[in-house]
Amino acid sequence: MADAEKVDSKRKVKKNIPSEIAEENSMPVIDESKVKTIFGLFFITLTFFLLVAFVSYLFTWKDDQDKIFNFSWKIIFSKAANVENSAGRLGAYLAHICFYNFFGIASFLLLNIFFSIGVNLAFKERVFKITKIFFFTLAWIIFISTLAAFIFRNSSFPFGGGLGQNNYVWLSSLLGNVGLGILLGVIAFTIFGFNLKDTFEKINSWKEKLLAKRKELEKLETTEQEQPTATDLLSKEEKLDEDAGYEMESIIPAENTTPTPHHQDETFEVINEQEENKETELQEPVKMELIEKEENTIELEEPEVEVKPKKEKFSLDPDFEIEDIQAFGTIDETSIQDDNETTTEKTNDSKEHFGLDTNFDPRLELSKYKFPTIDLLEEHGNGQIEINKEELEEHKNQIVQTLSHYNIGIAKIKATVGPTVTLYEIVPDKGIRISKIKNLEDDIALSLAALGIRIIAPIPGRGTIGIEVPNVKKSIVSMRSLISGEKFKKSDMDLPIALGKSISNEDFVVDLAKMPHLLMAGATGQGKSVGLNAILVSLLYKKHPAELKFVLVDPKKVELNLYKLIENHYLAKLPNEEDAIITDNKKVIYTLNALCIEMDERYELLKAAQVRQIKEYNSKFLNRQLNPNKGHRFLPYIVLVVDEFADLMMTAGKEVEAPIARLAQLARAIGIHLVIATQRPSVNIITGVIKANFPGRIAFKVTSKVDSRTILDASGADQLIGRGDMLLSQSGEITRLQCPFVDTPEVEHIAKFIGEQKGFPTPYELPEYIDPKEVEKGQKDFDYNNRDELFAEAARLIVRNQIGSTSLIQRKLALGYARSGRLMDQLEAVGIVGPNVGSKAREVYVKTEEELERILQVYDE
């Protein structure tokens, strides 16, 4: 009864087909197979006709050439023109065009193309690979026509045709006859070698087949010695018939049996209504219906929303199938600081006066520091992705229809809906070249009437081809949803940054320490500054001020100004600089070189500790295996952020490029990482030296394919739709993401929350850097009579402590960086201290104060 009801329901579905579709199916349709057969016979006939014309042309070309020159194409219709060609006036004219004007004797290869096309169309099978034959034949025509024109260059017969003659004239003028002969010889030898190799392989395969057949014949001869009787043969045949009948019955299902339906999510499927009638050879066109199946069961639990995973769908139907992947539910807004508060409580409970058996705690000085709370961030949008099934179905049909225009069949198609774009994954029919689909990017964009179409052919690790289509209604990805997500909260990365959500609506979190540097580029207003804020906010929510420092460079002076409030907590700067956020280009040069000095100092510490990277060093220091009296200290991570790199390159150029390149090459192991952003990704801004050392790259929408290739080494960034739509290139793989949106008031609230708490007494001081040019200038211009009024006091301070350090003068005499540097240059000019040796203190030549007083007395006289 159940089977009968299912059959009746299926018949009802057929009766409910709209009248327009029924009328359309009732209209007379041209038999496509007959049309193909007619065209196939035409091409085969044309092949033999041209063969006769070409062969006859070899013997009659002198007699017919003058007549063709006189009549031109009108010779075809002129009865007065009598030609000698066996194919008549049409054959004579076509042969003359092919031989004289185009390809010469290589025209015979055209017959190979026409014959292959004719056979494929006439027999309705893919007997020959037309595309392969076409390109191979074209290459042979060019080579043979050029070779013939070179060999028979003095002959009156057009052996090379117009193409070969033009190639010969150009190449001989370029290479000379000897060079051209060598080039053609190398090409001929290469082609002959490859063809000879293939021929030998085919001969060997034929030999193996012959040997296998011989072995089978020998086995048959040995078995024929025992001849079966007629009754035995009859019994065997009956037995075979029974077995065959049994097998057929087991293969063909009963008419009334139907497979058990699977419980699946809402799925678009194509139903073939001709499955019931398997006796007819010709089937009606495939009908496409939208079947609404059992929806995802959503269980609401406080405080989280769980979405049960989809059951895996198995289908033996080769027709199209779209699976819309449901967006993940938003995670409840819980405070990001739970884990951090636990750590802070442990710190408060630890002993303040610990012995050697107690580990060092870098957070102890700011033990009451509280991480920013999640309520400082706003929820932009509802965090849900709205799936429009009509839009999916419409786009799917347009993609299938566009590809069908170019004879590209599709075995399967499914859609993954993301916040900004939808990824349509297609599995083409066997034998379809990937490049053929990739070249249809503009055609698909035209049919969908959408911008930002990007084709991924193939998708790495999936064996499918992806077509990314922007959604009509886009969803905003808020920074709050990423910071409160489990992936970010539970990450054990050293420098985790939440870059956004992928097409599958998954949180995308990466480790800046492993990248290890990041290069960002994008046109104005496409989300670059928001991306920088997202990186900084991610680190502020995860790292303690004792573990992370920022060096902020802002040539535009307004983009990073909000972070001035956290100066004593997170920022690093040059000694005695008033502003921790660097806006002056000259100070940028000093800061970059100071970072290089810091890098060298850290490598010296790693060398003394006999470790290779910062994690191993800090682990030893925390376990009290390193002595602070020998210069060892806890090393926080340092992140250099440059907002507009193009302005620095235009004003400073090599002075900026050299330290940036050095930091990018060497600073990874000692915890210094670079984030550089620019809105002009041209080759004179992002030079080869810089680009080679930035494996992590982010591209927002750019204006041209050239800019996209400059930043990503691949096209695609010019096809983005803007507003945070970006491509991340990491380890050679390109991922499309939607950058999270964090507004300026949110950043201001976070900075204010941190700034109101107790911080360090001063910002993190970078090592001093003295420009060698200014040192030389100071030495040349130094006049003892115009010395600084604190010269003698500074000299006594240096000799008394036997440390030639500018920072010592700054601290003890409460002077600025510039004045302390000039005092040190004057002491060097007098001979009290030695020259600058980078990050190390200068050597003090005067060992006692008595000796210093004698020197000062001499100069005073």
Side-chain angles (χ1 to χ4, degrees), residues 518-521 528 532 553-556 585 588 592 640-661 664 674-691 694 711:
L518 188 58
L519 186 62
M520 302 175 65
K528 185 174 74 288
L532 281 178
V553 178
D554 185 14
K556 290 190 285 189
N585 288 344
V588 172
L592 293 176
L640 169 65
V641 180
V642 181
D643 182 45
E644 186 45 66
F645 187 62
D647 183 67
L648 297 180
M649 288 296 291
M650 287 186 347
T651 54
K654 294 294 182 182
E655 292 181 285
V656 170
E657 182 182 2
I660 286 284
L674 282 62
V675 179
I676 293 179
T678 180
Q679 57 181 313
R680 290 182 54 199
S682 54
V683 292
N684 60 333
I685 302 299
I686 304 175
T687 62
V689 176
I690 294 175
K691 188 176 176 182
F694 281 80
I711 182 68

Side-chain angles (χ1 to χ4, degrees), residues 461-486:
R462 298 192 191 179
T464 58
I465 297 174
I467 301 177
E468 294 176 348
V469 181
N471 297 336
V472 175
K473 189 174 182 180
K474 302 170 182 62
S475 303
I476 299 177
V477 177
S478 64
M479 194 70 198
R480 180 170 184 163
S481 64
L482 292 176
I483 296 297
S484 61
E486 293 296 321

Side-chain angles (χ1 to χ4, degrees), residues 581-840:
I581 299 175
I582 306 149
T583 57
D584 185 13
N585 288 344
K586 190 171 184 181
K587 293 181 180 179
V588 172
I589 298 171
Y590 286 179
T591 303
L592 293 176
N593 285 280
L595 280 174
C596 291
I597 298 173
E598 173 78 12
M599 177 182 69
D600 294 333
E601 290 181 352
R602 290 192 173 198
Y603 269 117
E604 290 294 332
L605 293 175
L606 264 63
K607 178 182 176 182
Q610 297 181 349
V611 294
R612 298 180 58 186
Q613 56 179 337
I614 186 173
K615 287 184 69 175
E616 298 174 2
Y617 178 87
N618 283 338
S619 177
K620 272 192 170 186
F621 187 82
L622 295 179
N623 292 328
R624 297 194 176 276
Q625 298 176 6
L626 302 175
N627 188 356
N629 295 328
K630 294 183 178 181
H632 292 290
R633 54 193 169 90
F634 180 79
L635 301 179
Y637 286 95
I638 298 178
V639 177
L640 169 65
V641 180
V642 181
D643 182 45
E644 186 45 66
F645 187 62
D647 183 67
L648 297 180
M649 288 296 291
M650 287 186 347
T651 54
K654 294 294 182 182
E655 292 181 285
V656 170
E657 182 182 2
I660 286 284
R662 190 161 182 264
L663 289 170
Q665 290 170 349
L666 302 174
R668 171 184 181 178
I670 44 84
I672 299 178
H673 303 279
L674 282 62
V675 179
I676 293 179
T678 180
Q679 57 181 313
R680 290 182 54 199
S682 54
V683 292
N684 60 333
I685 302 299
I686 304 175
T687 62
V689 176
I690 294 175
K691 188 176 176 182
N693 294 288
F694 281 80
R697 303 171 196 170
I698 289 178
F700 293 91
K701 181 176 176 59
V702 294
T703 56
S704 66
K705 282 184 168 56
V706 177
D707 291 344
S708 177
R709 291 191 182 96
T710 302
I711 182 68
L712 294 176
D713 291 330
S715 59
D718 55 310
Q719 298 292 335
L720 299 176
I721 59 176
R723 297 180 64 85
D725 189 17
M726 69 182 189
L727 295 176
L728 169 66
S729 175
Q730 188 179 11
S731 302
E733 295 183 2
I734 296 180
T735 307
R736 190 166 186 173
L737 302 172
Q738 176 62 39
C739 180
F741 178 68
V742 52
D743 205 358
T744 302
E746 299 175 66
V747 178
E748 189 175 357
H749 292 156
I750 294 171
K752 187 176 180 181
F753 178 86
I754 297 174
E756 289 176 349
Q757 301 184 54
K758 176 187 175 182
F760 294 104
T762 58
Y764 185 86
E765 284 193 358
L766 298 173
E768 60 176 341
Y769 171 75
I770 299 176
D771 193 349
K773 296 180 181 178
E774 293 188 359
V775 172
E776 294 177 2
K777 183 179 178 181
Q779 291 176 349
K780 292 179 181 178
D781 299 340
F782 174 65
D783 183 3
Y784 185 77
N785 295 325
N786 295 328
R787 64 188 182 279
D788 193 285
E789 58 184 9
L790 295 177
F791 175 81
E793 188 176 352
R796 294 186 183 96
L797 177 66
I798 294 296
V799 173
R800 189 182 305 119
N801 291 276
Q802 287 294 301
I803 299 175
S805 172
T806 307
S807 59
L808 178 64
I809 298 176
Q810 290 178 273
R811 292 193 302 272
K812 296 298 183 179
L813 300 183
L815 300 178
Y817 174 76
R819 187 177 180 185
S820 300
R822 286 194 299 270
L823 273 170
M824 188 61 71
D825 295 339
Q826 293 175 8
L827 293 174
E828 180 186 355
V830 174
I832 298 174
V833 296
N836 185 24
V837 288
S839 60
K840 297 181 180 179

Side-chain angles (χ1 to χ4, degrees), residues 73-258:
W73 61 271
K74 296 179 182 178
I75 193 174
I76 301 174
F77 308 103
S78 177
K79 296 180 180 180
N82 296 320
V83 296
E84 300 296 329
N85 195 295
S86 301
R89 294 192 298 269
L90 179 60
Y93 180 72
L94 293 177
H96 174 79
I97 293 296
C98 292
F99 272 79
Y100 187 83
N101 291 345
F102 290 109
F103 312 121
I105 59 173
S107 300
F108 281 100
L109 296 177
L110 290 174
L111 306 180
N112 184 32
I113 299 176
F114 295 146
F115 183 75
S116 301
I117 295 173
V119 170
N120 277 13
L121 291 175
F123 293 96
K124 307 183 191 70
E125 293 182 3
R126 194 180 178 188
V127 180
F128 300 104
K129 296 180 179 179
I130 302 299
T131 306
K132 183 178 180 181
I133 290 174
F134 174 78
F135 285 108
F136 270 91
T137 305
L138 183 62
W140 273 107
I141 286 174
I142 296 172
F143 173 70
I144 291 177
S145 62
T146 306
L147 181 64
F150 173 72
I151 296 174
F152 305 101
R153 53 185 176 273
N154 297 323
S155 175
S156 59
F157 182 80
F159 283 97
L163 175 66
Q165 186 64 25
N166 289 335
N167 289 346
Y168 164 70
V169 172
W170 176 65
L171 290 173
S172 61
S173 63
L174 181 66
L175 305 174
N177 286 334
V178 177
L180 178 57
I182 294 173
L183 175 64
L184 294 174
V186 170
I187 295 174
F189 180 77
T190 304
I191 295 173
F192 178 75
F194 281 116
N195 290 338
L196 192 62
K197 181 181 178 182
D198 295 339
T199 304
F200 282 136
E201 289 178 354
K202 290 180 180 178
I203 292 173
N204 290 331
S205 64
W206 292 340
K207 286 182 179 180
E208 292 176 358
K209 290 179 181 179
L210 288 174
L211 291 174
K213 287 183 178 179
R214 285 181 182 178
K215 290 180 180 180
E216 291 178 2
L217 291 174
E218 290 176 359
K219 289 181 180 179
L220 290 173
E221 288 177 359
T222 56
T223 55
E224 285 177 356
Q225 295 178 0
E226 298 179 4
Q227 294 292 339
T229 61
T231 56
D232 293 336
L233 291 173
L234 289 173
S235 63
K236 285 183 179 179
E237 289 179 359
E238 290 174 358
K239 188 176 181 180
L240 288 171
D241 292 339
E242 291 176 1
D243 294 341
Y246 173 76
E247 290 177 359
M248 290 301 293
E249 289 177 0
S250 63
I251 293 174
I252 300 175
E255 293 182 359
N256 294 330
T257 60
T258 56

